[in-house]
Amino acid sequence: MIDPSDIDALFADDGPLAERLSGFRSRPQQIEMAKTIAEAINGQQCLIAEAGTGTGKTFAYLIPALISGGKIIISTGTKTLQDQLFERDLPLVRDALKLPLAVAQLKGRGNYICLHRLQQAQETDLFPSRQDTHYLRSIVSFARTSERGDRNELANVPENASIWPLVTSTRDNCLGSHCAYVDDCFVSRARKTALDADVLIINHYLLFADALLREEGFAELLPTCDTIILDEAHQLPDIATVFFGERISGTQLSEFARDAEIAVRTSAADVDELLPRLNGVVTASRKLRLAVGEFPGKYSATHLLTRADFVEAIQELVKALDDSASGLGLVAERSEDLELAYANAEKLRQILCRWNDANCDSDDGQNVMIRWADISTYSWQLHASPLSIAPLFRAFIETPERTWILTSATLSVAGDFTHFQRELGLENARTAQWGSPFDFDTMARLYVPADLPPPNSREHTEAVVNAALPLLEANSGGVFFLFTSHRALQYAQQRLTSIFAEQQYNRALLAQGDMSRSELLSRFREEGNAVLLGAASFWEGVDVVGDALSLVIIDKLPFAPPDDPLLAARLEFLQKNGGKPFFDWQIPQAAISLKQGAGRLIRAESDYGVLMICDPRLVEKPYGRRLWRSLPSMRRTRELDEVLRFLRDHAVRNEAVRRP
């Protein structure tokens, strides 16, 4: 049992954390959060805990968890936070508390070099680009000396290099115990270390993919665990929806065909008919994309399966997979890789057939699966997703004699956790909330420009850019320009590119899609006063401290598009069961997303800035009050002059500080 007085002593100004951390100051919110988590651990409860920016929630959950004496699993939403916990935060706390704990990190197998596939890559020499040959030499050298084989440790091969899928494995192409390199396998080594650890750090994708599918060794890990902490828990509904459902994509089929081709060239080059059959899968996959039409988007299966060209494309793809499976089955005994390729062809064919089956939408007595398609410019994904993940997640998390802590800065709507609890089936969980210790009223302004056109009008994005220009000129630091659609982002990029050239702005204009996300953020931090245009993936998980980010502009309230087939099905279900879809689902979802975007602005006590939301509904619609009350309590204004004075005053102050 954890004694609350121990928490006070550990967080005290003269405690072990203060001794270890220069400038450490105890915060009331952090101490209260740590005590509440300690109570949950003592009582083996499920706790949903929201902590505002600056609370120090990482230490607030690490301290009670580490002194509890049990085995702990910490799951994060991103590999970035996972690495930060493993390399910095957890060792620091462990050492400060002088606890002899073994700590391990486990990632998905795609993060570790696969020695079998590395050998294949050297033998087959089938690379997407010339640069891959150079990268391969670096990877081979790294694999010979690396302890963990974690690709993140190899800095001179970019994370988006096309060589990586050829030298790492997936669940579909791993040979498992049949692999000749099983004794030296980096994944197997990481698993063993994880099993022996007192504290294990993973991410949500791995938790669901392995715990729910009973693979990757988690059938052994979870039963021995006493406390599971899910950080960045706001991501759980979306991630759980993916893993409780089923999907097939053009990318999967391309990877299957590539891996099968390597296996054929290695062990069945004498069978002439196999490669044309595999090429037929790729060709049929492309035809499926063409059958949808030129416009990307999300479509219901009901809509697509009324179109003869799409139905024909599905049938052609099923036949191509069937032909490939038949051919591979004839040579499967020649090698483990061919046997695996045959099994994958069969599995993909079955998934596609299930998606094409109208019975997939029927209620099985537990849950309804919704079939839909996500079409991008060059590829496609077919999904069968649960209408509700609540019963599935509740069954997963309701295990006896174990503590579950779900924490994030964005779980409630104006202090109400109902929406998040209902999504995950955790209506009976304990909830707690701590606001930020930062003085947002002094540090920031919330600005909603007056006289903007309706957000659904054609003129809106142009008006947003025009309204933003005075703030761009007055702000000496960096800018995040966040959009709810890629179309609006592209239009704004064209306008701002022209304006920057005409007015000779001495600042970089960066846009999502120009380079990888990590490269964009690195460049943004280096520039110090850049303008970065981003869509969904930049609304969360980005920490930029100081002047490098002092203005965040959001073009619209982030309501999910009503034509999203999964959302439409959920809203229809709510309506049929007496709910109010807009108030019970759409507003809470928008509030949580808005909190994420707004949360990019203030990340440290010395930060300042303006949050500009270019959507008049925030102040003109009755529901707007519920949305802005979910944001940090910064001073609100619609007056441009007030915002410009605020930015210029800080610019002058910062310039004075910089002078020698």
Side-chain angles (χ1 to χ4, degrees), residues 74-86 105-107 111 201-206 231-235 239 517 537 540-543 596:
I74 303 172
S75 181
T76 72
T78 61
K79 287 185 288 186
T80 301
L81 180 56
Q82 190 179 352
D83 287 333
Q84 178 182 310
L85 276 165
F86 180 70
Q105 177 176 216
L106 187 62
K107 300 180 181 179
N111 292 277
I201 304 170
I202 60 174
N203 59 61
H204 301 334
Y205 291 93
L206 188 60
D231 202 346
E232 299 177 307
H234 62 277
Q235 296 181 6
I239 296 173
R517 185 174 186 269
S537 64
E540 63 174 281
V542 179
D543 277 346
Q596 281 292 332

Side-chain angles (χ1 to χ4, degrees), residues 434-451:
W434 297 271
S436 171
F438 295 160
D439 181 8
F440 277 90
D441 198 49
T442 301
M443 300 165 71
R445 296 290 182 271
L446 169 58
Y447 171 51
V448 181
D451 302 322

Side-chain angles (χ1 to χ4, degrees), residues 15 45 144 149 236 306 311 338-339 348 405 411 431 453 490 524 528 560:
Q45 300 171 332
R144 287 175 183 152
L236 291 172
T306 60
V311 172
L338 285 170
E339 185 176 349
L348 292 167
I405 308 294
L411 298 175
T431 63
Q490 290 163 2
F524 181 81

Side-chain angles (χ1 to χ4, degrees), residues 559-572 585-586 589:
F559 287 108
D563 57 351
D564 182 317
L566 184 57
L567 173 63
R570 286 172 170 168
L571 297 183
E572 182 182 359
W585 189 279
Q586 291 173 281
Q589 289 281 49

Side-chain angles (χ1 to χ4, degrees), residues 22 269 391 401 410 419 504 523 540 546 618 636 640:
S22 176
E401 300 181 354
T410 54
H419 177 68
Q504 297 182 335
R523 174 89 185 277
E540 63 174 281
L618 187 67
R636 302 185 306 278
L640 176 61

Side-chain angles (χ1 to χ4, degrees), residues 302-603:
T302 305
H303 168 75
L304 290 175
L305 292 173
T306 60
R307 298 173 46 173
D309 54 347
F310 183 81
V311 172
E312 183 181 331
I314 286 270
Q315 292 170 346
E316 184 175 336
L317 184 52
V318 169
K319 184 179 184 304
L321 285 167
D322 195 29
D323 289 345
S324 293
S326 299
L328 290 166
L330 297 174
V331 296
E333 293 183 354
R334 294 193 185 187
S335 74
E336 300 287 353
D337 289 304
L338 285 170
E339 185 176 349
L340 190 60
Y342 164 66
N344 284 334
E346 270 296 309
K347 184 178 76 172
L348 292 167
R349 185 188 66 81
Q350 291 169 10
I351 293 173
L352 192 59
C353 287
R354 281 195 293 272
W355 193 90
N356 198 33
D357 182 358
N359 292 325
C360 184
D361 286 338
S362 64
D363 191 340
D364 62 3
Q366 294 293 322
N367 205 4
V368 179
M369 301 298 287
I370 304 300
R371 295 175 300 152
W372 57 284
D374 189 355
I375 309 299
S376 63
T377 304
Y378 301 109
S379 192
W380 53 267
Q381 293 180 348
L382 304 182
H383 295 259
S385 303
L387 179 65
S388 170
I389 62 167
L392 300 165
F393 191 86
R394 183 167 53 241
F396 167 57
I397 207 170
E398 284 185 347
T399 49
E401 300 181 354
R402 181 175 299 149
T403 301
W404 291 83
I405 308 294
L406 291 77
T407 185
S408 170
T410 54
L411 298 175
S412 73
V413 180
D416 183 358
F417 290 88
T418 302
H419 177 68
F420 183 76
Q421 289 176 279
R422 284 177 179 169
E423 269 199 288
L424 296 181
L426 301 179
E427 290 88 345
N428 296 324
R430 181 182 178 184
T431 63
Q433 181 187 34
W434 297 271
S436 171
F438 295 160
D439 181 8
F440 277 90
D441 198 49
T442 301
M443 300 165 71
R445 296 290 182 271
L446 169 58
Y447 171 51
V448 181
D451 302 322
L452 284 177
N456 60 349
S457 66
R458 291 186 176 183
E459 302 81 17
H460 182 260
T461 303
E462 181 178 5
V464 167
V465 172
N466 292 338
L469 289 175
L471 276 72
L472 294 180
E473 293 174 0
N475 179 57
S476 59
V479 182
F480 263 15
F481 214 143
L482 302 178
F483 295 87
T484 54
S485 75
H486 287 277
R487 182 179 298 179
L489 187 155
Q490 290 163 2
Y491 176 83
Q493 183 181 9
Q494 294 172 356
R495 279 288 321 278
L496 289 171
T497 298
S498 175
I499 292 170
F500 277 30
E502 289 173 5
Q503 302 189 14
Q504 297 182 335
Y505 275 19
N506 185 28
R507 64 199 314 172
L509 181 64
L510 309 173
Q512 183 174 341
D514 289 349
M515 58 190 81
S516 73
R517 185 174 186 269
S518 61
E519 290 171 325
L520 276 174
L521 290 173
S522 177
R523 174 89 185 277
F524 181 81
R525 291 186 176 99
E526 289 172 5
E527 292 286 341
N529 69 341
V531 177
L532 191 154
L533 313 182
S537 64
F538 283 88
W539 283 62
E540 63 174 281
V542 179
D543 277 346
V544 181
V545 178
D547 292 352
L549 179 56
S550 50
L551 172 61
V552 172
I553 304 170
I554 294 176
D555 74 328
K556 296 180 185 179
L557 297 177
F559 287 108
D563 57 351
D564 182 317
L566 184 57
L567 173 63
R570 286 172 170 168
L571 297 183
E572 182 182 359
F573 178 81
L574 273 173
Q575 184 79 42
K576 287 181 178 178
N577 287 273
K580 298 178 180 178
F582 184 66
F583 290 97
D584 294 345
W585 189 279
Q586 291 173 281
I587 287 180
Q589 289 281 49
I592 290 171
S593 296
L594 190 63
K595 285 170 72 174
Q596 281 292 332
R600 300 314 99 215
L601 183 63
I602 303 296
R603 307 303 300 175

Side-chain angles (χ1 to χ4, degrees), residues 102-175:
V103 178
Q105 177 176 216
L106 187 62
K107 300 180 181 179
R109 56 171 71 251
N111 292 277
Y112 301 96
I113 293 168
C114 171
L115 297 175
H116 171 65
R117 290 176 62 77
L118 183 60
Q119 183 64 34
Q120 272 189 332
Q122 291 176 269
E123 292 174 354
T124 56
D125 197 28
L126 294 173
F127 300 124
S129 74
R130 292 181 180 178
Q131 186 66 31
D132 288 335
T133 304
H134 169 70
Y135 291 149
L136 181 64
R137 289 195 291 269
S138 296
I139 295 170
V140 169
S141 176
F142 172 73
R144 287 175 183 152
T145 59
S146 175
E147 287 284 324
R148 295 192 293 166
D150 185 341
R151 53 183 273 190
N152 192 52
E153 297 173 355
L154 187 56
N156 62 340
V157 179
E159 63 177 309
N160 59 345
S162 54
I163 184 70
W164 283 122
L166 298 177
V167 298
T168 56
S169 70
T170 65
R171 184 174 294 103
D172 291 334
N173 60 33
C174 175
L175 297 179

